[in-house]
Amino acid sequence: MNGVIEALHIFDEHNSPILSHTYTSRPLSPSYLLPLYLEHAAPRPNLIYLPNTNPPTLVFSLKHANLLFLLTTSSEVEPLLVLEFLHRIVDSFEDFLGTPLLAHKIESNYDVVAQLLTEMCDAGTINTTEPNALRDLVEVEGFMGKLLGNLNLPTKPTFSNPSPASLLAQQNTLALPWRRNNVRHTQNELYADVIETLSVTLAPSGRPLAAFANGTIAFTSKVSGVPDIVVTLTGPTGRHNLGSIIDLPVFHPCVRLAKWREQPGVLSFIPPDGRFTLAGYEVDLLPLDARNLGNMSASANNLKLPVSLEIKTCLGPTGSDFEVRLTVNRIPGTGGGGGSGGGGSSSNYSLSSASGVGRGMGGGPQPATPAFPTLQDLKVTVPLPADVRNLAEIRTAKGDATYNPGDRFLEWTIPNKDVAAGFASHFALRCTVVGQSTSGDDEDDNDDPTGFGFNTSSAGGRDWSYDAGEPAPYQSASDLLSGGGKQPLTAEQEKEEKERKDGKLAQQNKILMPSSASVSFAVKGWTASGIKVDSIVLDPRRSKGLAETVRPFKGVKYLTVSKGGVEIRC
C-alpha cells in the first residue's frame, strides 16, 4: 500500500471550515465533502468509503475538542497509519498552540500550523511527526518578533554555508529524530508516571466476570546532553515472570526492543526531551485457572479492588425501592517505591535510594505514595430505564446524590473527607422510583376515574353523559334500597385487597429497576496489576554531554483510575 494523503480539512463546532491543507492531486472540496460525511448516521466510524465520488474516496475522521478533522485519499493506504497520523497532528497542535485546542488558536496561528502540516507530511507521504524534531524545524515567532514584525529594520546579510557543527547536528538529528539538539537544563530530572485504567465487570453475586488493567508509563526527561537510561519494571512476584503478566506491550520508538526481548521488564532507551509516553500494556487481572466455574472463590480472592459495590432491587412493600451499598476496602501499602538515586523530594512522587527502599518527605510514609495510597474522587453512577419518570425519595447518609430526569441516570458523589484512608468504610443509598402515570392501572380506579362516583369507563357501569340517549334518574330504586353505594369491606378483605394491589405494583415496578451500577474513583500510590518501577538508572558511560558527577533527581508516581470501569450487573 503506497497510497498518499491528499488533503486535510478542519471544521469547528458549527461544522464551518476553518482550515484546508492540500498535499497532492485535486481532492474533494470541504463544502462538498462535509454533507457526504454527515449523511452517515451517528456514531460515525473513523473510516468511511465514498464510492459515488470521482474518484472514489476514503475519508478518515477524528473528533477532538469540538473540532472535526477529515483526511481524504483516493488510493489504498494503511488505515492505522493514517489514524495515528491524525492523532499526531492533534498532539503537535496542542504542543505548539497550547491546550485546550480551539478554533481561534488555529486561525490566529496559521503560519505555525502550515509549517507543522508541511513538515509532518511531504507531498502526501508521512514524514516527521516527533515533537522534538518538529521544534527544530518549525519556527515559532515570539512576542517581540510579532511586535517588531512590521518594522523594516536593517539586518546583517546571512550566508547559507553551513558550519561543521551544524552539519554534525544534522547527522545527529537523522539518527535520533525524537530528540532535539543541544539540550541544556539547569536542573536534571527524571520522572516516571505509571497510570492504569480499570475495566471490571461483576456478576450480581459479586463474582468477577472480566477484569483488565490498561497501563501507560509516561516518562519525563529533563536531562542535558544525550542521556542513556535503563528503567527496570517488576511485578507482584518479581521480574522473572513479568513477560507472562504483561499482554500487548507497545513502546515508544526510542525503546530498544532487543533488550526487552532478552530481558522482559528492562527498558533501555535514549529519551526525547520533555514528557512522552514510554510504553503501554494490558494486564488480565483474573488468572486462567480462576476462570473455571469451579473456582469462583479463588477468582474473587485474587481480584483486589479498593471498593466493593452491591445493588439490591425491588425492595419495599410495593417493590419500588432499590439500594446501593458501597464498601471502601483497605488498600495495603507496598512500602516500596521506584527509581534510584536522587536528592530532595517532590509532591506525590515516591523516591528510593540505590538499595530500592522507598522513602518520602520527612522520613515517614506520605499520602498518595505506595506506602500510603489514598482513594479520591469516589462516584457511583446508576443508569435508570426510560420508563422512570422521577425519583420520589433519595436517602443517603453521606455524600450528595443528584438525579436529572432528562439524563436518565443517578449520580452519587462521596467527598474525599468522608472516605477514611486506610480503613474500611460503608456507605448506602436508597431510592424510590416513580413510573409513568398509573391512574388507569388498577381496575377499581378504572371504575371511578373522576372520583365523584360516576362510572363512565367500565363496561358494566352507567353512562351519565349528556349525549347518552334517554336520561336516567339521579338515584334508582335499587340504589336507594341498597344504601346507594358499595358494601364496606371487612378488615381481612381490606388486607387481602391491599396485598393484591401491592403485588400488582411490585410486578409493574420490576421494569423500573436499574440493571447495573458503576463506580468511578482514583487511587494515588497504587496499581491494580502490581507492576512497579524498580529502578531508573542513568548510564554515564553511554550518555553524551553529561558529566559523570551529575546525579539527576528521580521520582515515580502511581495512579489507578476507574472512569465508570467497575460495573456490577443486577
Side-chain angles (χ1 to χ4, degrees):
M1 296 183 182
N2 297 323
V4 295
I5 297 173
E6 295 180 354
L8 173 68
H9 308 287
I10 304 178
F11 302 86
D12 60 7
E13 61 272 13
H14 304 294
N15 290 331
S16 299
I18 59 176
L19 184 141
S20 294
H21 191 89
T22 302
Y23 290 106
T24 182
S25 183
R26 299 182 61 184
L28 302 178
S29 63
S31 59
Y32 181 75
L33 176 64
L34 185 63
L36 298 178
Y37 171 79
L38 296 178
E39 71 180 9
H40 288 76
R44 300 174 182 90
N46 296 110
L47 175 57
I48 296 177
Y49 178 61
L50 303 178
N52 297 327
T53 59
N54 188 18
T57 304
L58 292 172
V59 181
F60 296 85
S61 62
L62 176 64
K63 290 280 291 186
H64 180 81
N66 294 328
L67 297 178
L68 175 62
F69 294 78
L70 295 182
L71 189 148
T72 61
T73 177
S74 58
S75 57
E76 291 189 9
V77 295
E78 187 66 34
L80 294 180
L81 176 64
V82 179
L83 292 176
E84 178 65 21
F85 177 68
L86 283 175
H87 285 279
R88 292 293 183 97
I89 290 177
V90 172
D91 295 340
S92 301
F93 283 2
E94 291 181 343
D95 190 15
F96 280 83
L97 306 181
T99 56
L101 186 60
L102 303 176
H104 74 87
K105 291 183 179 180
I106 298 177
E107 293 176 339
S108 59
N109 297 276
Y110 178 74
D111 53 340
V112 178
V113 172
Q115 292 183 71
L116 285 173
L117 295 179
T118 303
E119 296 293 344
M120 297 180 71
C121 185
D122 184 12
T125 303
I126 299 176
N127 192 11
T128 304
T129 59
E130 290 295 333
N132 279 262
L134 291 174
R135 291 192 189 100
D136 291 337
L137 298 174
V138 176
E139 296 182 2
V140 180
E141 189 177 10
F143 173 75
M144 293 301 299
K146 293 182 179 179
L147 182 62
L148 304 176
N150 296 327
L151 299 179
N152 296 324
L153 299 178
T155 59
K156 295 182 179 180
T158 58
F159 301 95
S160 60
N161 294 330
S163 61
S166 62
L167 291 177
L168 181 60
Q170 292 179 3
Q171 294 177 1
N172 293 335
T173 303
L174 295 176
L176 299 175
W178 56 82
R179 186 168 181 84
R180 293 190 297 120
N181 297 320
N182 302 322
V183 178
R184 292 291 181 266
H185 292 282
T186 56
Q187 293 183 352
N188 296 310
E189 299 172 338
L190 295 174
Y191 296 114
D193 299 330
V194 182
I195 306 170
E196 291 188 353
T197 303
L198 285 178
S199 178
V200 181
T201 303
L202 304 174
S205 61
R207 178 176 63 89
L209 302 177
F212 295 93
N214 296 283
T216 300
I217 302 177
F219 201 84
T220 302
S221 172
K222 296 181 180 180
V223 181
S224 303
V226 184
D228 197 295
I229 301 173
V230 176
V231 175
T232 304
L233 305 179
T234 183
T237 59
R239 192 164 55 91
H240 61 281
N241 61 342
L242 193 62
S244 60
I245 295 176
I246 295 180
D247 296 330
L248 306 175
V250 293
F251 305 101
H252 190 272
C254 67
V255 177
R256 300 182 177 97
L257 297 181
K259 188 69 173 179
W260 174 270
R261 294 190 182 98
E262 293 176 1
Q263 300 179 6
V266 177
L267 298 172
S268 177
F269 57 95
I270 297 177
D273 184 54
R275 184 178 176 87
F276 66 100
T277 301
L278 177 62
Y281 59 88
E282 181 181 88
V283 176
D284 190 353
L285 302 179
L286 297 179
L288 294 177
D289 55 352
R291 295 180 181 273
N292 300 329
L293 296 179
N295 201 7
M296 296 180 183
S297 59
S299 175
N301 295 330
N302 290 328
L303 182 61
K304 297 179 181 179
L305 297 176
V307 295
S308 300
L309 193 62
E310 182 182 3
I311 183 169
K312 294 184 178 181
T313 59
C314 298
L315 302 178
T318 60
S320 59
D321 293 0
F322 68 89
E323 186 177 59
V324 180
R325 297 179 181 178
L326 182 68
T327 303
V328 177
N329 303 320
R330 182 180 180 274
I331 307 173
T334 59
S340 62
S345 59
S346 177
S347 176
N348 293 338
Y349 278 92
S350 62
L351 307 177
S352 65
S353 61
S355 60
V357 180
R359 58 183 174 89
M361 292 182 293
Q366 299 297 317
T369 61
F372 193 54
T374 57
L375 177 66
Q376 298 178 352
D377 304 333
L378 190 58
K379 182 175 68 174
V380 178
T381 303
V382 183
L384 297 175
D387 295 331
V388 175
R389 181 163 54 94
N390 199 0
L391 294 181
E393 190 175 1
I394 302 176
R395 302 178 294 276
T396 176
K398 293 184 178 181
D400 185 18
T402 58
Y403 170 70
N404 186 2
D407 296 335
R408 294 181 181 176
F409 61 85
L410 170 69
E411 283 190 351
W412 178 26
T413 305
I414 300 175
N416 296 333
K417 62 180 181 180
D418 294 337
V419 181
F423 300 95
S425 304
H426 303 275
F427 306 94
L429 169 70
R430 187 163 183 144
C431 302
T432 302
V433 298
V434 177
Q436 302 299 328
S437 179
T438 57
S439 60
D441 292 344
D442 192 77
E443 294 179 358
D444 295 337
D445 292 337
N446 286 340
D447 294 342
D448 186 13
T450 61
F452 290 99
F454 296 99
N455 185 351
T456 60
S457 60
S458 177
R462 301 168 183 172
D463 192 354
W464 297 106
S465 58
Y466 290 103
D467 57 350
E470 297 181 1
Y474 178 71
Q475 287 183 330
S476 62
S478 60
D479 292 337
L480 293 175
L481 294 177
S482 61
K486 294 183 179 180
Q487 294 292 334
L489 300 177
T490 62
E492 184 177 356
Q493 290 176 339
E494 290 181 353
K495 182 179 179 181
E496 293 178 355
E497 183 67 15
K498 184 177 182 302
E499 291 178 354
R500 184 185 69 83
K501 291 182 179 181
D502 291 345
K504 186 175 182 180
L505 288 176
Q507 293 293 331
Q508 295 174 351
N509 289 330
K510 282 185 178 180
I511 63 174
L512 304 178
M513 293 294 105
S515 59
S516 64
S518 60
V519 58
S520 304
F521 56 84
V523 183
K524 294 183 178 181
W526 176 78
T527 56
S529 64
I531 294 177
K532 303 288 184 180
V533 176
D534 185 62
S535 64
I536 302 176
V537 178
L538 177 63
D539 191 352
R541 295 175 299 177
R542 303 182 63 176
S543 302
K544 299 179 181 179
L546 185 64
E548 296 183 359
T549 58
V550 174
R551 290 183 174 269
F553 177 85
K554 305 172 187 178
V556 181
K557 182 169 62 177
Y558 303 97
L559 177 64
T560 298
V561 180
S562 170
K563 298 180 180 179
V566 180
E567 180 182 12
I568 185 171
R569 306 288 176 84
C570 299

